[in-house]
Amino acid sequence: MLTWHHNKNKPPGGTQIDWSHPLARGLEIAWNYTGESTTKSVRDVCNNGWGPFTFANAASLVGGTFGSLAPYSSGSTIASVSTGSKVVANAYSFLFWFKGDVVPSAAYIGQPFAFGNNTGGGVGSFSWSHSTAGFRQAVAHRNAALTYVAAKLISTLSANQWYCIVGTFDGATVRAYLNGKSEASAAAAGTVAYTADTAEVQRAAFAEPGVVDHVLFWRGRCLGETEIAQLYNSPFMLLKKTNYEME
């Protein structure tokens, strides 16, 4: 029996989603970053067809917030996968952990994570850096009219510090959360823009120097603040606990 501290380290290999958990409803992506072999890869714990896939140019491992993971650097490494058939519902939530190598910049657009149509921009995304101040360190949503709406974090983000970032959309409002707490919201009425579903970490055109860990995505579900706080405090609470003991 393995021993695992669920708040400090990555879960053991072979773990699965506990689909009976209330927060598992609508969960479509749960990416576990692995590096146990010479091939650094991402495993989709949900088994919904969003992986596995390998990182480009990931020759070594770096320290993640929950353990080792494959590194990212501007434009040189990317994780991207597309089913090409699923439809984004008019509600979604995404969560990921990120540590930027630099403070948010006005010199370029840097998006650690984006989901949705990857031609011209994502449906939902987070920009660490952005040339437009209102979209810098902000969650952004794009509707079918190709209008972007941003919920900009109030807190000032620093380099070399881990943050838990969450973006939600309920069909009318886009919201941004930082480390389990609500920070910003903006009205964002209108249907979702999409052509094909693509989930991307560090897309080459908009890569942000830094490290991404523990990516989750819910389709058709807008998480509430209490639920987001639970996921921040217990990041792996959605996994089955049948093949390991908790510390």
Side-chain angles (χ1 to χ4, degrees):
M1 180 73 71
L2 295 169
T3 300
W4 170 51
H5 193 300
H6 73 294
N7 287 334
K8 294 182 179 180
N9 304 105
K10 288 183 182 300
T15 52
Q16 299 175 336
I17 295 296
D18 177 5
W19 293 109
S20 67
H21 195 289
L23 289 182
R25 179 179 58 82
L27 183 67
E28 186 141 307
I29 289 175
W31 281 343
N32 183 30
Y33 298 87
T34 63
E36 290 79 9
S37 67
T38 55
T39 301
K40 312 306 185 296
S41 64
V42 170
R43 183 172 68 92
D44 175 26
V45 183
C46 289
N47 294 317
N48 281 332
W50 293 92
F53 52 90
T54 59
F55 295 110
N57 303 322
S60 60
L61 294 177
V62 297
T65 188
F66 302 111
S68 298
L69 50 74
Y72 302 86
S73 61
S74 183
S76 66
T77 57
I78 181 173
S80 178
V81 64
S82 175
T83 64
S85 60
K86 298 179 181 179
V87 176
V88 178
N90 276 343
Y92 59 79
S93 304
F94 62 82
L95 177 154
F96 67 96
W97 291 74
F98 182 69
K99 182 176 70 171
D101 290 348
V102 297
V103 296
S105 171
Y108 59 91
I109 299 175
Q111 295 179 340
F113 177 77
F115 181 89
N117 170 20
N118 67 345
T119 303
V123 171
S125 62
F126 176 80
S127 295
W128 177 269
S129 297
H130 206 288
S131 53
T132 301
F135 286 84
R136 195 175 310 133
Q137 61 176 59
V139 171
H141 168 79
R142 187 176 76 153
N143 63 21
L146 306 185
T147 300
Y148 287 91
V149 177
K152 181 180 173 69
L153 295 175
I154 298 172
S155 298
T156 300
L157 302 179
S158 302
N160 301 312
Q161 180 173 330
W162 281 102
Y163 296 101
C164 178
I165 296 166
V166 176
T168 69
F169 177 67
D170 62 3
T173 305
V174 58
R175 294 180 173 87
Y177 297 80
L178 183 69
N179 293 342
K181 297 180 180 180
S182 176
E183 285 230 343
S185 64
T191 57
V192 169
Y194 69 88
T195 57
D197 284 1
T198 303
E200 297 175 307
V201 174
Q202 300 287 49
R203 177 155 54 112
F206 299 123
E208 177 67 50
V211 188
V212 181
D213 204 355
H214 192 50
V215 177
L216 303 175
F217 180 85
W218 290 259
R219 180 191 307 276
R221 180 169 185 172
C222 177
L223 296 176
E225 186 168 2
T226 299
E227 296 169 321
I228 291 168
Q230 290 174 338
L231 290 163
Y232 170 70
N233 290 316
S234 297
F236 299 106
M237 64 189 298
L238 299 181
L239 298 182
K240 287 183 178 180
K241 302 171 180 63
T242 56
N243 62 334
Y244 51 81
E245 294 177 342
M246 307 283 276
E247 283 186 341

